[in-house]
Amino acid sequence: MSRAQRLLDLIQLLRRHRRPVSGRRLADELGVSIRTLYRDIVTLQGQGAPIEGEPGLGYVLKPGFMLPPLMFGEDEIEALLLGSRWVADRADGPLALAARDAMAKIVAVLPPDLTRRVEDAVLILGPGRAIAAGEGIDLAALRRTIRAERRARMAYGDGQGRASERIVWPLALSFFDHVRVLVAWCELRQDFRHFRVDRIDRFEPLDARYPQRRAVLLKAWREKEGIPSPQ
């Protein structure tokens, strides 16, 4: 591996960690000595990368540092292609269009050799079908409500056909093979609940925001469900 590629890999590795990570762990993941790792950190800092920390305390890359998409590797291109094709094939209309547009923007700025990799992708999306959507539910509006951290009034029918009216705090939309699931705090149950989107009969965003930040609530939900937090 060239030193330039190693420096790019180090940037990407730091970007995956939100909290300070030790030099030893970084060196092990890169497959280099701790001395080489320290030299690479100093080199990147000298080139303007906002890396904070020092030996013994760990390192973190401050938010906002950007690398051009021209630096995508072959595996990264394959991963982006596979993910965007899955969304384009199986998500609702606005989200599918967003996936196609995003990939088109990336391809437009790739150098010719990587553009050919896009055309000759070795990962192929298998046959499938669009995920079942809720009858009359505007999924784009649901996503906007999640981003805005707003309460919503919802009419829901469970697996036994029992109907209920609830006020929920929408937190996330989870995608499974054939169904979407809304993760939310339910004021009726005073707990986290999971709602199949295809069983939501009505979804009405409210003006009021919920009282806690979504990130805090998602962390509590992950802890309850035993789901690791993203690095």
Side-chain angles (χ1 to χ4, degrees), residues 43-61:
T43 297
L44 288 170
Q45 289 172 330
Q47 293 176 355
I51 300 172
E52 295 184 344
E54 58 185 79
L57 297 178
Y59 297 93
V60 64
L61 180 67

Side-chain angles (χ1 to χ4, degrees), residues 150-152 167-171 183-187 210-212 217:
R150 291 167 57 188
R151 285 185 169 97
I167 301 294
V168 298
W169 308 353
L171 302 177
V183 178
W185 175 269
C186 177
E187 293 189 0
Y210 39 81
Q212 298 185 56
L217 292 166

